[in-house]
Amino acid sequence: MPWVLRGLRNGVVTTGYPRRSDPYAEAFPASVRPLVVGSANGVPVDDTLCPTGAIHNRAGALQLDAGQCILCGRCVRERPDLFGWVSGSQTARLHRQALVVPQLPETDEAVELVRRQLAARVRRMFRRSVHIRHVDAGSDGSEEWEALALLNPVYDVHRLGIFFTASPRHADVLLITGVGSHGMAEPLRRTVEATPRPLVVIAAGTDAVSGGLVAPSYAVAEGIGELVDVDVWVPGSPPSPFSLLHALLLAVGRIPPEGR
Amino acid sequence: MSRSAVRSPAQDPVGALHHALHMRLASGQRFAALLGRGDPDAGTSLTALVAHDGDVTALSATLPAGVTHYPALTPQLPAAFWYERAIHDLVGLLPDGHPRLDPLVLPHRDDASRLLPHPGAPGQPDRIEPYERALSVHLHGTGVFTIPHGPVRSGVFESVEYLVETPGEDIPHLRIRPHAKHRGVQKRFEGMTVDDGVLLAERVEGIASVAHALAFAHAVETLAVARVPVAAAMIRVLHAELERIANHLDVLGKLTDAAGLAVATARFGLHKEHTLRLVGALSGSRFGRGVVVPGGVTALPRLPADEVTAELDRLQHAINGDVRALLDTSSFLDRVRTAGPLDPELARTHGALGPIGRGSGCTDDCRASRPYDGYQQLAPPPVAVRSAGDAQARMQVRIDEIEAAFYLTRQAIGRLPDCDTDQLSVVAQPGAGQAVGWAEAPQGEVLYLLDVDDAARISYCAPRSASFHNLMLFPSIFVGDILTDFPFNEASFGLSIAGVVM
């Protein structure tokens, strides 16, 4: 069989993440943030600047909600003085409000609280291996590609004891993609119900977090948070595999949360 | 990309549409879509898209307010089967004489209490939930039972429900229920500016973002009478072809996965990852999002041409080696050969698109028959066609297209240094009117029927993905196939459900 030799061809291509940092993960432009911290008085921000309304000018301070950002880059193109790309794939957060940058001071405490609650829930159960059940609740199809990429030799999540499972009965983590279409509400509810506890739910992608550009629409919820209790929020349209991996490791308490 | 001709004789508008369609199809043109708009209470219209060399023509029939029925086209034109079901779901028109008007994208009660999206009509409906009891559950045949696949599939798949009707081994009948993923995208376009619209177009079928953005942008550019700069046209080809490579590698990976060839799956997964990384390095998005805008592109590739070419060489060399090994693996070929045969005659009359059509002898590829952007200047290789119609033929077409895509990307990147790169886009301010845009996605031809109003806002936008048109054929390819062939047939179609129900 030629495949044995072909399999050895490129040597080890697998990333060292999370034990070592990965250059691709570090360099990937996975988010946008305001460059002007604090006062942005007198800076008029046009309503048409952001197609999803992720940019707010609250009391003179610019804020960007990564949970609504679809990474189209329009704000960076049109106002490079105010917005810039941020490298680094560690974009998952344990609290919806923690996706808003720069963060409000009160968010820190809330994040710390949910982190402790989540840690208490998963500490004993998910120490070695976890099984993920993916559910598409109305994605555009790209999130599935990035989730599947976790199984390719570059990310190879099996080495971390992370497996995808076909049955919700065997699942510890639900990885939910998509905006939360009304047609998927019932299948999703049944899937959640069939999953044993403790259970960690990940909202994967800007669509799943907030509805992105697809909501508001007669056929969808504004993110899956309206349908299930979400533990980990991963923005991105779609989130890159490293961001999904970050979310998974965060979900099972293997790495400390960012932005604390 | 012409402004569409609207023909609507007052008497019997649908009859006239039918006649015009018949004449065109008889002269060898291809039925590409039937789309509905409006609200029966205020007046509706039906638009058929007909593809031919050089253009896509829109033929319309206007139905006056209060008309809720029209004579169905499906009995004479089987390819309209799903289109009329979708029109019934979204617009609320009843096609009389339709063979099976099951719900497709949005099951609803057929009574006065119903609330429908009415694409193209003013206003946005508040909330519409699918009415599952409208779904047909009947089943016939001795000893036949149903194996439901989905809507939550086993594995990382998009949600769709396949009802496999089987007496145990054969698959005499398959029903498809894709409605769970319906997101109301068509209605969401309405009221948007075209700059926002192109971002939504990228998310209609996320694995073919570039092709959808292109088809949308082409419709806008027709209305704006804008000519895209040469450099932008080349960058568009570069991204469209990289998207094709990634999609075809995905299909190869899924086919080998179905056969349990773990090393091959890993190898194709690796190549796909490298392709997406190259796209990401060029544009900042692994799916080439944010590159195409009406009037051009947003930026130059972020890598110098020689680095791109070197990476293309590496990638192509690696892919070719694995493809050769795959075509030498008889245990794999035995699974795809004769699996999922799509009858060439059916493919022709249906107008099957993309690698599915081209695996069954259909030669249409809008990069060649209706060239756009850089395809007009570059010399595209001949369209890859096979005639066997089985999963292997579809795979062969994809393998040939990967080869051609590498050739085209090299050509496109090679031309860039000679282009004027100071201007990458022109202003594309669309005038009011209707236009059709097209692009060849990895799955096949994507069409956008776009209406823009006086304020340059979208008043109607109907994307027609190749996935929608082709998935209709899926139940007909199980002739002689058994349950274990299902994953091969599904993978060899390589479609996206997001693009089917939107």
Side-chain angles (χ1 to χ4, degrees):
Chain A
M1 278 292 278
W3 287 112
V4 179
L5 295 174
R6 297 215 70 84
L8 300 172
R9 249 185 129 73
N10 295 63
V12 177
V13 294
T14 310
T15 174
Y17 181 83
R19 216 179 313 150
R20 286 187 303 279
S21 81
D22 184 283
Y24 183 77
E26 296 298 320
F28 191 74
S31 51
V32 173
R33 66 175 296 143
L35 299 174
V36 190
V37 182
S39 171
N41 272 332
V43 182
V45 176
D46 193 349
D47 273 351
T48 61
L49 189 61
C50 181
T52 57
I55 296 168
H56 305 280
N57 199 342
R58 281 207 191 94
L62 274 184
Q63 280 190 329
L64 188 141
D65 180 2
Q68 285 177 280
C69 174
I70 56 167
L71 301 171
C72 67
R74 188 189 292 170
C75 54
V76 182
R77 269 198 312 280
E78 296 193 3
R79 295 305 300 264
D81 54 326
L82 296 182
F83 299 95
W85 288 100
V86 184
S87 301
S89 305
Q90 311 227 8
T91 51
R93 297 291 181 269
L94 294 175
H95 197 284
R96 175 69 182 85
Q97 281 308 312
L99 291 175
V100 179
V101 286
Q103 222 170 80
L104 297 170
E106 62 264 31
T107 313
D108 283 355
E109 289 165 37
V111 172
E112 182 53 29
L113 182 68
V114 292
R115 190 195 64 77
R116 260 188 271 124
Q117 286 168 345
L118 182 67
R121 219 167 1 126
V122 302
R123 189 179 299 133
R124 285 166 51 86
M125 296 298 290
F126 298 165
R127 218 163 25 190
R128 292 205 169 79
S129 89
V130 281
H131 286 72
I132 309 164
R133 171 67 249 195
H134 157 263
V135 182
D136 163 20
S139 75
D140 64 26
S142 60
E143 283 92 350
E144 280 66 30
W145 269 27
E146 298 298 52
L148 263 183
L150 293 175
L151 299 176
N152 78 31
V154 178
Y155 303 98
D156 185 25
V157 290
H158 293 176
R159 77 199 150 94
L160 302 167
I162 298 173
F163 302 91
F164 282 91
T165 169
S167 168
R169 300 255 186 248
H170 304 153
D172 309 302
V173 175
L174 287 181
L175 181 74
I176 306 177
T177 57
V179 61
S181 63
H182 297 330
M184 278 308 293
E186 180 57 21
L188 178 60
R189 193 194 60 76
R190 285 204 299 267
T191 307
V192 172
E193 204 177 80
T195 314
R197 304 298 186 266
L199 162 68
V200 178
V201 174
I202 300 176
T206 295
D207 282 2
V209 171
S210 71
L213 196 59
V214 177
S217 145
Y218 64 85
V220 301
E222 296 197 351
I224 55 134
E226 290 183 17
L227 308 173
V228 288
D229 293 330
V230 175
D231 298 296
V232 185
W233 309 82
V234 207
S237 187
S240 73
F242 270 120
S243 287
L244 291 175
L245 187 51
H246 177 237
L248 286 167
L249 295 173
L250 203 54
V252 298
R254 297 231 198 123
I255 47 173
E258 288 285 305
R260 265 205 292 157
Chain B
M1 278 150 260
S2 71
R3 277 169 196 268
S4 56
V6 178
R7 295 142 200 244
S8 46
Q11 269 89 36
D12 188 18
V14 178
L17 171 67
H18 207 146
H19 180 70
L21 254 178
H22 180 78
M23 299 299 286
R24 283 174 175 271
L25 300 189
S27 69
Q29 302 190 2
R30 172 169 59 80
F31 169 77
L34 182 68
L35 307 161
R37 70 181 285 180
D39 178 348
D41 292 338
T44 52
S45 65
L46 298 172
T47 304
L49 299 180
V50 185
H52 45 96
D53 273 356
D55 206 355
V56 176
T57 307
L59 305 165
S60 289
T62 309
L63 301 175
V67 172
T68 54
H69 294 251
Y70 72 94
L73 274 63
T74 305
Q76 279 84 47
L77 181 65
F81 181 45
W82 275 26
Y83 289 101
E84 296 201 305
R85 288 168 66 185
I87 289 169
H88 173 241
D89 288 346
L90 299 174
V91 181
L93 285 171
L94 279 162
D96 292 326
H98 189 281
R100 211 184 71 218
L101 200 59
D102 285 349
L104 185 71
V105 293
L106 184 61
H108 62 76
R109 286 169 201 265
D110 240 334
D111 62 24
S113 69
R114 71 189 182 181
L115 183 66
L116 293 181
H118 299 308
Q124 291 280 349
D126 194 30
R127 179 188 172 94
I128 305 176
E129 289 189 33
Y131 181 67
E132 304 262 341
R133 286 160 74 176
L135 297 169
S136 132
V137 290
H138 65 99
L139 182 72
H140 42 88
T142 311
V144 176
F145 58 95
T146 300
I147 303 174
H149 292 232
V152 178
R153 308 285 307 277
S154 60
V156 183
F157 284 102
E158 288 190 64
S159 292
V160 58
E161 190 173 6
Y162 293 116
L163 297 172
V164 181
E165 294 175 11
T166 175
E169 187 97 83
D170 305 338
I171 306 179
H173 203 76
L174 174 83
R175 272 182 296 157
I176 306 173
R177 286 180 183 170
H179 67 270
K181 277 194 77 155
H182 178 58
R183 294 172 290 157
V185 172
Q186 200 179 336
K187 199 69 191 159
R188 179 77 180 103
F189 273 107
E190 294 173 13
M192 278 188 173
T193 62
V194 292
D195 289 336
D196 287 354
V198 73
L199 297 174
L200 186 57
E202 288 177 336
R203 286 154 182 87
V204 169
E205 193 174 15
I207 59 173
S209 291
V210 177
H212 276 259
L214 282 179
F216 178 87
H218 291 153
V220 175
E221 285 152 13
T222 303
L223 287 172
V225 201
R227 227 186 130 68
V228 172
V230 179
M234 293 300 157
I235 295 169
R236 285 178 168 191
V237 168
L238 173 66
H239 277 285
E241 293 302 320
L242 286 173
E243 179 174 270
R244 196 176 320 281
I245 294 171
N247 270 274
H248 289 351
L249 288 173
D250 181 68
V251 170
L252 289 177
K254 286 189 169 128
L255 283 171
T256 50
D257 191 34
L261 273 182
V263 180
T265 310
R267 295 286 297 171
F268 289 118
L270 178 66
H271 303 326
K272 182 183 160 197
E273 177 67 22
H274 285 157
T275 311
L276 294 182
R277 285 188 174 197
L278 176 59
V279 176
L282 292 172
S283 67
S285 157
R286 287 161 55 95
F287 291 79
R289 292 181 180 178
V291 172
V292 178
V293 286
V297 296
T298 48
L300 279 173
R302 297 180 189 180
L303 287 183
D306 54 337
E307 271 182 50
V308 181
T309 312
E311 177 60 22
L312 288 172
D313 291 344
R314 261 196 303 278
L315 203 51
Q316 187 177 22
H317 179 73
I319 293 171
N320 281 349
D322 286 328
V323 164
R324 267 197 306 275
L326 188 64
L327 295 180
D328 216 27
T329 307
S330 53
S331 65
F332 171 74
L333 294 178
D334 286 345
R335 300 304 307 271
V336 286
R337 197 178 292 138
T338 72
L342 173 63
D343 177 26
E345 182 53 21
L346 174 63
R348 190 185 62 77
T349 55
H350 182 83
L353 303 168
I356 297 172
R358 294 194 280 274
S360 291
C362 300
T363 53
D364 192 55
D365 180 329
C366 55
R367 291 175 294 168
S369 55
R370 293 176 295 287
Y372 49 88
D373 296 332
Y375 298 111
Q376 291 168 324
Q377 289 102 338
L378 303 175
V383 176
V385 181
R386 289 287 195 282
S387 56
D390 56 2
Q392 187 184 15
R394 293 189 279 275
M395 181 183 79
Q396 290 279 7
V397 168
R398 288 193 170 92
I399 289 171
D400 293 348
E401 287 190 7
I402 290 176
E403 185 85 26
F406 275 112
Y407 173 78
L408 284 165
T409 44
R410 273 200 205 92
Q411 292 253 308
I413 198 87
R415 293 271 186 112
L416 263 187
D418 302 331
C419 300
D420 172 18
T421 51
D422 291 339
Q423 200 197 12
L424 292 173
S425 66
V426 294
V427 177
Q429 185 69 17
Q434 186 179 67
V436 184
W438 57 83
E440 187 75 16
Q443 289 78 14
E445 169 199 73
V446 176
L447 294 172
Y448 271 70
L449 179 64
L450 177 74
D451 273 43
V452 174
D453 64 17
D454 301 322
R457 298 249 165 192
I458 298 167
S459 54
Y460 174 75
C461 179
R464 199 284 272 127
S465 69
S467 296
F468 182 93
H469 197 84
N470 279 342
L471 191 62
M472 223 183 300
L473 292 169
F474 192 49
S476 58
I477 64 160
F478 285 86
V479 186
D481 284 355
I482 57 171
L483 292 173
T484 48
D485 291 318
F486 190 92
F488 291 95
N489 290 356
E490 191 186 11
S492 76
F493 261 47
L495 304 179
S496 166
I497 303 303
V500 173
V501 286
M502 302 180 205

